[in-house]
Amino acid sequence: MPSPLASGIDISQFNGNVDIAALRDKVDFIIIRCGYGDDYPSQDDTQYRANVRKCLDNGIPFGVYLYSYARNPTMASSEARHTLRLLEGLTPLYGVWYDLEDSTLPTGQALIDNCLTYCSALRQAGYYCGLYASLSWMRTRLNSPRLAHLDRWVAQWGPDLNWPDAGLWQYSDRGIINGRVFDMNRAFRDYPAIIGKGEWTDMTKEQVRELAREEAQRAVRENESRYRTIGDVPGWARQQVEEVYRRLELTGSGTGGEDNTQIDASPTYVRVLVVLHRLMEALGPEAFMRALEKEPEQDAGNS
């Protein structure tokens, strides 16, 4: 484990009125919750603006995090707008972090899509953005090549950190400073230098390749069964698909008419069926069926 470059705390309205001036010689940075969920002023953290002002007044670098409740990319976009509204005119030198821990959050690719939606919006607006979660979430729900380019703030309470490339480590929720309890953090990157110089926007070639590979595989998976039934096929191809299925007696599932026949077709498969229909029309249905049934001629050179 590398040596930390700085030590700090994270705070929210649940810490009450924090005497940040008294922390000036105790911490190197503070990460402040700006709010939670969708972009409603009622969901701003009630101490956020006061905490930011105290950090600015006392020369303490700060970062910002938002607690997520997003169940889909639309909600994640709203959470990004929420954060951007509260960041206006500010430069958080310890980054912006997407807090992922709520039990209502989705699983699988839905959660990955939320992360990319939120972080892309923040990055496009010029902010350094990463993910906060427990070690177990990092290893399972957030362990995707699609997120490889995003920094991690890992919560693992105890003496050791088992995520080797973490930028921030929340190592305790029981730190005592000036008689008060705080979440304790260590930074392994010089965030003020990185963010201040803007040296964070480029992904490595390996990360670009892996992200492109994963996105391509996802696109293939999503397109393989785009048209679940004949009724889902675009209008320009539906009649031809119905005719080919009927003539070739292709099997499908579903009831209630041909439109409900389940085909689980990709766009490529639909185009193939349209081509078959054109051949059927050119040859005539009977000749077309005979052509399909005809055994291929054996190459004389291989007899």
Side-chain angles (χ1 to χ4, degrees), residues 105-126:
L105 295 181
T107 58
Q109 293 303 314
L111 181 61
I112 305 304
D113 290 342
N114 286 354
C115 294
L116 291 174
T117 297
Y118 178 90
C119 291
S120 294
L122 269 295
R123 287 164 66 88
Q124 288 171 11

Side-chain angles (χ1 to χ4, degrees), residues 48 63 99 104 144 155 161 170 238 244 256 263-264 271 280 286:
Y48 169 70
D99 185 344
T104 64
S144 167
L161 174 62
Q170 187 186 79
R238 189 176 305 133
V244 171
I263 59 175
D264 293 324
R271 286 193 290 271
M280 186 188 304
E286 294 182 0

Side-chain angles (χ1 to χ4, degrees), residues 182-233:
F182 294 101
D183 292 341
M184 304 300 296
N185 297 273
R186 292 176 178 142
F188 299 103
R189 296 189 172 97
D190 186 352
Y191 286 106
I194 294 169
I195 295 172
K197 294 178 182 177
E199 297 176 347
W200 53 270
T201 56
D202 294 330
M203 298 167 64
T204 66
K205 291 181 180 179
E206 292 76 13
Q207 289 172 336
V208 170
R209 282 196 294 267
E210 190 61 38
L211 181 59
R213 185 181 302 112
E214 174 67 18
E215 288 296 318
Q217 292 173 348
R218 184 172 68 91
V220 169
R221 289 194 300 269
E222 291 177 351
N223 277 287
E224 281 178 346
S225 301
R226 178 183 293 184
Y227 307 121
R228 302 292 294 176
T229 68
I230 288 179
D232 295 327
V233 173

Side-chain angles (χ1 to χ4, degrees), residues 36-40 43 66-83 98 100 102 104-106 110-111 113-119 121-122:
Y36 54 91
D38 287 326
D39 186 18
Y40 300 116
Q43 294 183 174
L66 181 125
Y67 188 98
S68 176
Y69 286 110
R71 295 187 294 277
N72 53 56
T74 299
M75 295 177 71
S77 292
S78 180
E79 292 184 337
R81 292 193 299 273
H82 189 176
T83 309
Y98 200 30
L100 304 161
D102 197 81
T104 64
L105 295 181
L111 181 61
D113 290 342
N114 286 354
C115 294
L116 291 174
T117 297
Y118 178 90
C119 291
L122 269 295

Side-chain angles (χ1 to χ4, degrees), residues 3 8 19 27 34 45 66 88 165 177 215 227 231 239 245 276:
S3 299
D19 186 356
V27 300
C34 65
D45 188 291
L66 181 125
E88 187 172 358
D165 197 36
I177 304 177
E215 288 296 318
Y227 307 121
Q239 182 178 348
Y245 259 70
L276 286 176

